[in-house]
């Protein structure tokens, strides 16, 4: 029973928030006349001393006391005596732990947001640097149309911006104070919940005491947003793994973000990217874990809710590490411009430009232009040449009105320059978008 019941092994991470909440609670108890000013001063001094002990590593955590809340309260009573016993007036561990976790998660979201911004800055910086450098754009992992490397990197800036928005929404919704809901029904003491909410930086007290102690939506929403963020990091990590492989050869990572082989001396393995990719599993698993804990759980509090903390703690730690690694890799990677440029025109990637030319210049319906282009691609494929290497006569066999000016749209550079629509890959677009993001993120 002692083994399964204790949470001090992991919830000791809440000690700062537990002391923060207790200080606000004690100040409110004194302000409302529930305890004396002298008791509140003793509690304040005692909690400050306990914080110093924990900071110094001299605090003796006792597994027999189950959790961080009881450990701190027991130490407070040992230090200041009777005044310490008054701290828990009008409070339960149920509203206490719900408050602590909201405070902890609020801080964690703020920290992760700062890291996301750093990664977005790294991507925007590299995007500006490579705004005009061609690379192949893929669909189905097949060469589709030329894009720029900067344009590709900016796609992840957009994804991360949505991740920031989701986490900000989660933070806004979690910012209600459960403190004062007590065990589940509120309290008969004349407490001031608005006072403690303000003191702890919450927007308001929670409106329903039952919901306040049993709600873990905020943790579940964080894990859902974290899982989406992790999936985005995993997609970028997968591309780094592909780009760094000899088959692609688009980038090179330094020794700082690769490892060697125990047997093959030539290997440069992108282990940091592979681990970011793999850690997505534990984050999405954490979401499923807590969702399963909450499913079918009756109101109000059950000890099942003790299982909320480890998934949240582990996810925040894992995301922080993954974001740091990803920012490092983005700043570290060295693109092979020549290789990417050579590959940008492969696979008849300017075929769409040819079809568009037929529509604009000859006024063909797009579907007809599509079929003509398809026949020209087949002809070039049969000859093992690029579209631009077909002679004018060969092209005119499929559409007699094609003129010499068609060759002006068949180069990678011309294709890129033509994609000037909003959000398109034209180098001028990419440079402007990268600069907008750099300014916004500064």
């Amino acid at each position: 029973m002692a083994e399964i019941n204790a949470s001090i092994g992991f919830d000791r991470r809440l000690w700062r928030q537990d002391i923060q909440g207790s200080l606000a609670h004690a100040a409110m108890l004194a302000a409302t006349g529930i305890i004396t000013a002298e008791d509140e001063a003793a509690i304040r001094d005692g909690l400050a001393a306990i914080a110093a002990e924990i900071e110094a590593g001299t605090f003796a955590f006792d597994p027999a006391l189950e959790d961080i809340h009881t450990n701190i309260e027991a130490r407070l009573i040992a230090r200041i005596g009777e005044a310490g016993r008054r701290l828990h007036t009008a409070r339960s561990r149920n509203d206490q732990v719900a408050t602590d976790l909201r405070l902890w998660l609020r801080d964690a979201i703020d920290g992760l947001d700062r890291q996301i911004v750093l990664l977005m800055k790294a991507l925007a910086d590299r995007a500006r640097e490579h705004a005009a450098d061609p690379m192949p754009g893929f669909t189905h992992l097949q060469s589709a149309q030329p894009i720029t490397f900067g344009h590709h990197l900016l796609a992840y800036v957009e994804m991360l911006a949505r991740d920031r928005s989701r986490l900000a929404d989660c933070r806004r919704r979690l910012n209600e104070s459960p403190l004062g809901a007590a065990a589940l029904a509120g309290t008969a003491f004349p407490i001031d919940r608005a006072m403690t909410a303000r003191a702890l930086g919450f927007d308001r007290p929670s409106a329903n005491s039952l919901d306040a102690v049993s709600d873990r939506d905020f943790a579940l929403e964080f894990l859902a947003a974290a899982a989406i963020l992790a999936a985005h990091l995993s997609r970028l990590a997968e591309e780094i793994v592909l780009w760094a492989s000899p088959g692609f050869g688009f980038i090179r990572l330094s020794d700082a973000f690769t490892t060697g082989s125990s047997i093959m001396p030539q290997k440069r393995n992108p282990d940091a990217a592979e681990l970011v990719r793999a850690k997505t599993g534990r984050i999405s698993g954490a979401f499923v874990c807590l969702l399963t804990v909450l499913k079918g759980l009756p109101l109000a509090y059950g000890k099942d809710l003790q299982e909320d903390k480890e998934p949240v703690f582990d996810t925040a730690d894992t995301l922080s590490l993954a974001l740091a690694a990803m920012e490092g890799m983005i700043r570290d990677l060295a693109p092979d411009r020549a290789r990417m440029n050579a590959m940008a025109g492969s696979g008849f990637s300017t075929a769409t430009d040819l079809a568009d030319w037929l529509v604009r210049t000859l006024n063909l319906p797009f579907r007809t232009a599509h079929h003509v282009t398809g026949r020209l691609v087949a002809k070039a494929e049969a000859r093992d040449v690029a579209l631009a290497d077909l002679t004018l006569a060969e092209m005119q066999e499929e559409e007699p009105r094609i003129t010499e000016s068609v060759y002006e749209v068949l180069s990678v550079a011309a294709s890129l320059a033509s994609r000037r629509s909003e959000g398109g890959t034209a180098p001028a677009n990419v440079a402007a978008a990268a600069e907008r993001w750099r300014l916004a993120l500064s």
Side-chain angles (χ1 to χ4, degrees):
M1 181 60 192
E3 182 83 11
I4 197 170
N5 197 48
S7 58
I8 189 61
F10 51 85
D11 71 12
R12 66 177 64 186
R13 293 183 63 159
L14 297 174
W15 71 265
R16 285 188 179 87
Q17 292 74 27
D18 197 70
I19 289 175
Q20 183 184 1
S22 290
L23 288 168
H25 185 66
M28 181 274 296
L29 292 177
T32 54
I34 297 171
I35 65 173
T36 65
E38 291 76 18
D39 283 344
E40 191 265 334
I43 290 169
R44 186 171 62 248
D45 291 345
L47 289 173
I50 290 169
E53 288 179 358
I54 298 175
E55 288 276 16
T58 59
F59 187 94
F61 293 100
D62 184 357
L65 295 174
E66 296 182 20
D67 54 40
I68 186 62
H69 324 294
T70 311
N71 267 263
I72 288 176
E73 183 179 0
R75 180 63 178 145
L76 181 66
I77 293 168
R79 288 189 68 94
I80 68 172
E82 193 68 17
R85 298 180 186 277
R86 300 188 187 280
L87 173 60
H88 208 54
T89 308
R91 185 177 72 171
S92 163
R93 276 190 299 182
N94 294 355
D95 61 335
Q96 187 177 0
V97 67
T99 301
D100 290 359
L101 187 57
R102 284 175 186 259
L103 290 171
W104 188 93
L105 189 51
R106 193 175 67 186
D107 292 342
I109 288 172
D110 290 344
L112 291 170
D113 182 75
R114 289 189 290 271
Q115 287 191 273
I116 295 170
V117 167
L118 291 175
L119 175 54
M120 292 172 72
K121 284 181 177 178
L123 288 162
D125 287 344
R126 301 310 303 271
R128 185 178 69 163
E129 182 184 348
H130 299 285
D133 289 335
M135 71 174 289
F138 298 99
T139 61
H140 308 279
L141 212 56
Q142 306 290 314
S143 184
Q145 291 179 301
I147 60 170
T148 73
F149 189 52
H151 192 58
H152 198 123
L153 296 179
L154 286 178
Y156 284 98
V157 177
E158 298 292 335
M159 292 185 207
L160 291 167
R162 295 192 296 273
D163 291 318
R164 286 190 74 200
S165 177
R166 274 184 284 270
L167 287 170
D169 285 345
C170 174
R171 190 194 190 283
R172 184 166 56 252
R173 271 185 287 275
L174 74 77
N175 207 37
E176 294 184 351
S177 174
L179 199 56
L184 76 161
T187 177
F189 289 95
I191 62 172
D192 185 344
R193 293 190 63 207
M195 178 181 173
T196 51
R198 284 193 304 272
L200 295 171
F202 288 116
D203 294 331
R204 65 192 69 84
S206 53
N208 181 284
S209 59
L210 279 171
D211 180 56
V213 299
S214 62
D215 167 42
R216 294 299 184 272
D217 290 4
F218 65 94
L220 191 63
E221 185 176 2
F222 166 71
L223 294 175
I228 297 172
L229 169 56
H232 288 158
L233 297 179
S234 182
R235 294 182 75 176
L236 180 53
E238 168 68 4
E239 300 212 271
I240 288 173
V241 171
L242 289 174
W243 294 343
S245 69
F248 280 76
F250 289 175
I251 65 167
R252 183 178 178 87
L253 290 168
S254 76
D255 290 344
F257 290 94
T258 57
T259 65
S261 164
S262 64
I263 189 172
M264 296 169 284
Q266 82 282 9
K267 294 297 292 297
R268 184 186 291 267
N269 300 320
D271 283 7
E274 290 171 359
L275 288 165
V276 168
R277 185 177 61 184
K279 287 181 184 298
T280 305
R282 66 195 292 166
I283 294 172
S284 57
F287 170 70
V288 174
C289 171
L290 185 56
L291 185 65
T292 306
V293 168
L294 295 175
K295 175 197 168 294
L297 192 62
L299 298 180
Y301 183 85
K303 199 62 179 277
D304 314 53
L305 292 177
Q306 183 168 288
E307 292 297 307
D308 60 354
K309 293 166 199 64
E310 287 180 289
V312 168
F313 293 159
D314 184 72
T315 292
D317 291 345
T318 302
L319 270 182
S320 180
L321 180 59
L323 285 164
M326 189 59 72
E327 184 205 349
M329 283 186 283
I330 293 300
R331 295 203 180 277
D332 177 80
L333 62 83
D336 187 331
R337 288 180 166 97
R339 170 70 173 170
M340 287 197 291
N341 189 26
M343 291 293 291
S346 66
F348 307 103
S349 64
T350 58
T352 306
D353 298 275
L354 173 55
D356 289 345
W357 183 90
L358 293 170
V359 172
R360 287 195 311 270
T361 308
L362 304 184
N363 200 30
L364 290 182
F366 179 78
R367 192 52 62 197
T368 303
H370 185 278
H371 291 316
V372 171
T373 303
R375 293 195 296 272
L376 289 171
V377 167
K379 183 172 289 192
E381 198 168 30
R383 283 191 50 205
D384 195 25
V385 297
L387 276 172
D389 294 327
L390 291 175
T391 67
L392 182 60
E394 286 174 313
M395 290 195 180
Q396 289 174 339
E397 289 172 4
E398 301 301 332
E399 172 47 63
R401 291 180 293 161
I402 293 178
T403 65
E404 194 78 32
S405 64
V406 72
Y407 293 101
E408 296 173 5
V409 303
L410 295 182
S411 70
V412 168
S415 176
L416 291 175
S418 71
R419 306 294 172 186
R420 295 185 299 273
S421 60
E422 185 173 353
T425 193
N429 285 20
V430 176
E435 190 59 26
R436 281 195 304 272
W437 272 117
R438 291 178 76 253
L439 289 172
L441 294 166
S442 67

